[in-house]
Amino acid sequence: MAELMRGLEGVIAAETKISSIIDSQLTYAGYDIDDLTENAQFEEVMFLLWNYRLPNQQELAELKEKLFGYMTLSPRVYSHFEEYTTDKVHPMTALRTSVSYLAHFDENADDNDQAALPERAIRIQAKIASLVASFSRVREGKEPVKPDPSLSYAANFLYMLRGEKPTDVEIEGFNKALILHADHELNASAFTARCSVSSLSDMYSGITAAVGSLKGPLHGGANERVMSMLFDIGSLDNVEPYLEKAFANKDKIMGFGHRVYKNGDPRAKYLKEMSRKITEETGQSELFEMSVKIADILEKEKGLLPNVDFYSATVYHSMGIPHDLFTPIFAVSRTAGWTAHILEQLANNRIIRPRANYVGETDRKYEPIEAR
């Protein structure tokens, strides 16, 4: 019997050209994450993940036009959100349901023909931004905001969410955050998406399954809990007493450490810088200073380094984004990677069907119910 590897740790389950983590460095289709974060638009990264190459000017313009064209949702979807708000549904629960509901408006949803799939990836990527932004507005009793053709994908999300055009610093920060979260090799949600479509189910099912996986607190949601921690701490002077108590109680400090990165998350430095810029612009610099102090103490006392979630919390908070939208925003970005994995899985598909080591009882005999 094969050796059991709990959580499939160390098991190679797929070959991919989408992204890699080698020697603690993340790359997308061979491009260093540093290079892309400093120079690329999120739309370019979408195209890269789907096609393993960067777009030319015409291809990028066509992609942006298609994304804008698909962003507006059916009025039935907007009204559908009203059913969720009465029960105070978490946005990830609403997103899981609404992604599945999107399939109702795609008459070719079950078509897994290779020629049709790339367009469906664009369609889903466009609409997931609108789903998150519109749900947030509807639950607040506000009218959904339609996208603006003059804005980028990152800027349009913030515009549809808040109803006002974002600043240049906010656009830069959000664009970087989307790029940094777009894919991460064979993580739990990407593997879930591949498992789902390996049965030749449709792309909407794959994305719905991935959203369900991301909803779990061991995958998504750490940055939401980072903000809760910062609010609990309350001030720069209270950082050390808070952490001393947490260490004594062996409480987990959110936003630190990573299953794959042992020498620090290469994405964290960009969000740290954006946190500095945006908190300064919005007059909330103490949040950044608290974060830096926490990180310094964690590194000195525990040898732990911040991951991508730690500084993204203050980036999103400083943009006025509700904390329970942090994980749905993760999904908005990661949809680029999920759809890329689905395209790759279906291009050379074999149903994913691992084995399990049976550890239960054996040689048991059926007894009539009267004798049990």
Side-chain angles (χ1 to χ4, degrees):
M1 187 65 73
E3 182 184 359
L4 171 65
M5 304 298 289
R6 291 185 62 82
L8 299 182
E9 186 165 3
V11 174
I12 305 299
E15 292 184 333
T16 185
K17 295 180 181 179
I18 299 168
S19 68
S20 67
I21 304 168
I22 300 173
D23 296 329
S24 290
Q25 186 56 46
L26 175 62
T27 70
Y28 293 165
Y31 288 88
D32 195 297
I33 193 65
D34 296 316
D35 191 8
L36 294 172
T37 304
E38 290 172 356
N39 298 298
Q41 301 172 54
F42 182 51
E43 291 91 334
E44 292 179 279
V45 170
M46 294 177 201
F47 189 98
L48 173 64
L49 296 176
W50 296 333
N51 298 282
Y52 313 129
R53 64 178 179 84
L54 290 169
N56 59 36
Q57 286 186 338
Q58 181 179 343
E59 289 169 330
L60 181 59
E62 289 174 354
L63 175 57
K64 287 183 175 182
E65 184 178 354
K66 286 182 177 181
L67 286 167
F68 173 76
Y70 283 130
M71 271 188 183
T72 300
L73 303 172
S74 164
R76 287 167 55 195
V77 177
Y78 296 128
S79 61
H80 193 242
F81 286 139
E82 295 173 5
E83 299 176 17
Y84 307 160
T85 57
T86 55
D87 298 322
K88 297 183 179 179
V89 171
H90 191 281
M92 281 300 286
T93 301
L95 183 61
R96 182 184 59 201
T97 302
S98 58
V99 169
S100 180
Y101 190 46
L102 282 181
H104 294 239
F105 303 93
D106 184 349
E107 61 184 16
N108 299 312
D110 291 321
D111 183 2
N112 277 338
D113 182 78
Q114 290 295 304
L117 292 173
E119 189 75 12
R120 187 157 304 114
I122 297 171
R123 181 188 185 107
I124 293 173
Q125 182 69 62
K127 291 189 181 300
I128 198 161
S130 299
L131 290 177
V132 174
S134 299
F135 170 76
S136 181
R137 291 188 66 82
V138 169
R139 70 173 176 172
E140 294 172 1
K142 299 175 182 177
E143 286 294 317
V145 174
K146 299 295 175 64
D148 183 327
S150 69
L151 299 179
S152 67
Y153 186 94
N156 249 320
F157 176 84
L158 294 174
Y159 173 61
M160 290 189 295
L161 178 67
R162 302 183 313 190
E164 59 184 32
K165 292 186 178 179
T167 67
D168 290 343
V169 171
E170 289 176 326
I171 295 170
E172 178 192 2
F174 198 65
N175 182 72
K176 288 181 186 296
L178 292 176
I179 290 172
L180 291 166
H181 287 89
D183 196 59
H184 209 232
E185 204 220 54
L186 205 56
N187 54 83
S189 55
F191 187 59
T192 299
R194 293 185 81 129
C195 286
S196 178
V197 301
S198 75
S199 69
L200 296 185
S201 188
D202 62 280
M203 188 177 285
Y204 293 96
S205 295
I207 300 301
T208 302
V211 170
S213 176
L214 185 67
K215 182 176 182 289
L218 294 183
H219 190 7
N223 48 14
E224 184 178 343
R225 294 193 295 280
V226 169
M227 279 313 306
S228 296
M229 176 181 69
L230 289 172
F231 277 15
D232 287 343
I233 293 172
S235 69
L236 191 61
D237 292 339
N238 199 35
V239 169
E240 288 186 48
Y242 179 93
L243 291 180
E244 287 174 4
K245 183 178 179 181
F247 294 159
N249 294 335
K250 300 188 183 322
D251 294 336
K252 182 175 175 60
I253 307 299
M254 301 310 301
F256 287 85
H258 198 279
R259 173 97 164 244
V260 177
Y261 298 118
K262 305 307 178 188
N263 301 314
D265 189 329
R267 302 168 294 177
K269 59 182 178 288
Y270 294 103
L271 290 166
K272 179 180 180 180
E273 176 59 15
M274 292 317 306
S275 175
R276 183 191 67 77
K277 284 185 177 181
I278 294 175
T279 55
E280 183 178 299
E281 182 179 74
T282 58
Q284 302 177 80
S285 292
E286 188 177 23
L287 286 172
F288 174 72
E289 293 165 5
M290 289 167 61
S291 300
V292 171
K293 190 170 184 178
I294 292 167
D296 289 345
I297 293 172
L298 262 290
E299 182 175 7
K300 180 180 178 182
E301 299 294 330
K302 301 294 181 181
L304 292 174
L305 296 169
N307 56 40
V308 72
D309 297 308
F310 185 64
Y311 288 106
S312 67
T314 45
V315 169
Y316 295 156
H317 169 80
S318 299
M319 292 179 183
I321 296 173
H323 297 173
D324 61 0
L325 289 189
F326 289 0
T327 307
I329 287 172
F330 191 158
V332 169
S333 171
R334 188 56 61 85
T335 294
W338 292 336
T339 47
H341 280 278
I342 289 171
L343 292 172
E344 192 171 70
Q345 179 68 36
L346 293 176
N348 185 26
N349 187 56
R350 181 174 175 82
I351 191 168
I352 297 173
R353 202 292 188 197
R355 298 295 307 278
N357 287 341
Y358 178 71
V359 295
E361 296 186 46
T362 59
D363 299 322
R364 305 172 83 182
K365 302 299 181 185
Y366 180 87
E367 293 181 348
I369 194 166
E370 298 83 2
R372 294 178 213 159

